[in-house]
């Protein structure tokens, strides 16, 4: 599977069946080349008009299944939300 194929898939949290969006970026381990985590856009500020001030960092261990159209993850959204670096 290519990275561009991962970016086309919808990510869904199996804890509450919430759609989290699509993969924005992927973090790699430079030494092993393994994927460490997926980076997704966080919730929008106000009706999607004022951008986003956080993003979700979902560790590779939290991914439960990668299907043809979706990626199923099991995460606590409060713990995986991070402010992006400025």
């Amino acid at each position: 599977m290519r990275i561009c194929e991962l970016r086309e898939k919808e990510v869904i949290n199996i804890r509450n069946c919430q759609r989290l969006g699509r993969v924005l970026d992927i973090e790699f381990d430079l030494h092993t080349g393994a994927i460490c985590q997926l980076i997704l856009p966080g919730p929008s500020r106000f009706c999607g008009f004022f951008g986003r001030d956080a993003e979700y960092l979902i560790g590779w261990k939290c991914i439960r299944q990668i299907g043809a159209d979706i990626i199923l993850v099991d995460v606590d959204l409060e713990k995986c939300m991070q402010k992006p670096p400025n």
Side-chain angles (χ1 to χ4, degrees):
M1 177 176 296
R2 297 175 184 247
I3 293 173
C4 62
E5 292 174 309
L6 275 178
R7 294 188 72 192
E8 295 172 358
K9 298 180 187 301
E10 185 79 24
V11 179
I12 298 176
N13 189 0
I14 62 174
R15 287 190 184 190
N16 57 5
C17 298
Q18 181 179 359
R19 298 171 70 185
L20 301 178
R22 298 187 188 277
V23 177
L24 282 178
D25 206 354
I26 298 172
E27 185 176 305
F28 289 93
D29 182 336
L30 293 176
H31 300 291
T32 64
I35 296 175
C36 297
Q37 57 189 3
L38 302 177
I39 301 171
L40 283 75
S44 59
R45 288 190 216 163
F46 179 73
C47 297
F49 293 120
F50 299 108
R52 302 175 192 281
D53 58 354
E55 57 192 15
Y56 296 122
L57 303 177
I58 299 175
W60 188 252
K61 293 180 180 180
C62 296
I63 297 173
R64 295 296 170 243
Q65 189 168 11
I66 299 176
D69 298 326
I70 61 171
I71 300 172
L72 298 176
V73 298
D74 185 8
V75 294
D76 179 4
L77 294 180
E78 298 290 324
K79 293 181 181 176
C80 69
M81 190 179 303
Q82 300 270 324
K83 297 264 185 193
N86 290 335

